[in-house]
Amino acid sequence: MNKVVLLGPPGAGKGTQATRIAAKYNILHISTGDIFRKNIKEGTPLGTKAKEYMDKGLLVPDELVCDLVEDRVMKEDCANGYLLDGFPRTVFQAEHFDKFLKEHGDELTMVLDIEVAEDILLPRMIGRRVCRNCGKPYHVITMPPAKEGVCDVCGGEVYQRADDTEETVMNRFKVYKDQTSPLIEYYTVSGKLKAVDGAKDPDDVFAGICELLGE
Ligand code: AMP
C-alpha cells in the first residue's frame, strides 16, 4: 500500500502529477487545497474560515487541517493507499501526521519533492487557469483550452484562481520558503525524501516519479 506525500513549491506541478500518479497506482488523490475550495464553493463554515487565509496566500491554521486529513485517510476509499497533495505544509502538520500514523502502526512510504526554481515558477503560475467544474488544469500560453474560457473535457468555466494573481503568488512563495521548505530537511532526516526535477516536461517528471515508486 502506497502512502505518498507530494512536496514542492507552489506551481511545481503537484496537481498535474498527482492526478497521474493516483490513476497509475490506483491510490486516492487527496488535495487539501481542493477540499478547501470545495468547502468555499458550498459555503460551509470551514470554507468561510479557510477563504480568509487562502485569498491572501497564507496558510490555513494547522488546527483546521490536521484532523481533516487524518479523518480523510481513515475512510475506506484510502484502503489501497493515498497521495497527499498540499499536506503537510508545516513541520507541525508533518509531526502531527507522523504521530497519527505511528499510533496506527503505520508510516509514510515516500515523500516526493518536485524541485523547480522560483524564476521558472512565477510565469507558470500567473498564466495558470483551471476548470471550475472538473478541476482540469490549463495555462494561457502553454496549454490553453481549445475555446477560450471553456473546458475541453466538460465544458465548464476555465478561470484564474484568486490565489494565482501576482501579489498572492509572491506571498505564497514566501510562505513556502518560511513554513513549508523546512519539511525537506525533516523528511531527509527521516529517510523518506526523494527528489525529482520538476523543471522538465511533465511526461519526463512523471517517468522519474514512476521510477522512484516502482512500476
Ligand atoms: P493548493 O491548492 O495546495 O495550492 O492550496 C491552496 C491554499 O489552500 C494554500 O495557499 C493554503 O491557503 C490552503 N492550504 C492547502 N493545504 C494546506 C495545508 N496543508 N495547510 C495550510 N493551508 C493549506
Side-chain angles (χ1 to χ4, degrees):
M1 173 170 148
N2 276 308
K3 279 158 266 120
V4 180
V5 164
L6 262 191
L7 264 188
K14 294 193 293 293
T16 307
Q17 296 300 332
T19 311
R20 298 178 67 169
I21 298 166
K24 174 163 171 145
Y25 294 94
N26 189 27
I27 56 177
L28 195 80
H29 172 198
I30 301 173
S31 155
T32 40
D34 283 352
I35 295 174
F36 290 134
R37 281 184 287 278
K38 184 166 182 277
N39 275 274
I40 291 173
K41 205 170 158 186
E42 290 169 356
T44 68
L46 175 66
T48 310
K49 261 196 192 146
K51 191 175 187 322
E52 277 175 45
Y53 300 91
M54 287 172 75
D55 282 353
K56 294 184 194 130
L58 300 173
L59 292 185
V60 173
D62 289 331
E63 60 270 23
L64 293 181
V65 186
C66 291
D67 290 349
L68 182 86
V69 174
E70 289 164 12
D71 288 346
R72 188 67 195 83
V73 300
M74 292 305 284
K75 298 232 166 93
E76 220 180 303
D77 54 2
C78 289
N80 196 41
Y82 49 82
L83 176 71
L84 296 174
D85 160 16
F87 177 91
R89 280 287 227 283
T90 62
V91 171
F92 179 91
Q93 291 177 16
E95 285 174 345
H96 202 282
F97 195 62
D98 273 351
K99 190 165 164 264
F100 162 84
L101 288 175
K102 206 169 169 199
E103 280 164 10
H104 290 83
D106 215 345
E107 61 177 324
L108 287 171
T109 315
M110 193 182 289
V111 176
L112 286 167
D113 180 30
I114 307 185
E115 296 177 327
V116 195
E118 202 174 301
D119 54 346
I120 300 180
L121 291 174
L122 194 62
R124 259 202 206 177
M125 288 189 74
I126 292 167
R128 192 152 90 158
R129 301 291 181 271
V130 64
C131 173
R132 205 184 277 283
N133 184 45
C134 72
K136 180 173 167 29
Y138 292 94
H139 191 279
V140 285
I141 312 279
T142 56
M143 210 192 348
K147 187 168 177 233
E148 200 187 322
V150 182
C151 179
D152 295 342
V153 176
C154 73
E157 183 200 355
V158 173
Y159 81 117
Q160 181 180 39
R161 273 169 38 180
D163 58 351
D164 278 343
T165 58
E166 188 159 351
E167 194 195 344
T168 313
V169 165
M170 295 313 289
N171 254 337
R172 290 170 70 196
F173 278 126
K174 187 173 182 318
V175 166
Y176 173 78
K177 242 186 228 153
D178 295 347
Q179 293 180 263
T180 307
S181 69
L183 290 180
I184 294 171
E185 171 72 12
Y186 178 86
Y187 287 121
T188 301
V189 170
S190 69
K192 303 278 183 205
L193 195 88
K194 302 277 181 209
V196 285
D197 178 3
K200 291 188 191 158
D201 177 86
D203 286 345
D204 294 334
V205 178
F206 185 58
I209 289 174
C210 294
E211 245 171 58
L212 291 170
L213 286 175
E215 286 308 316

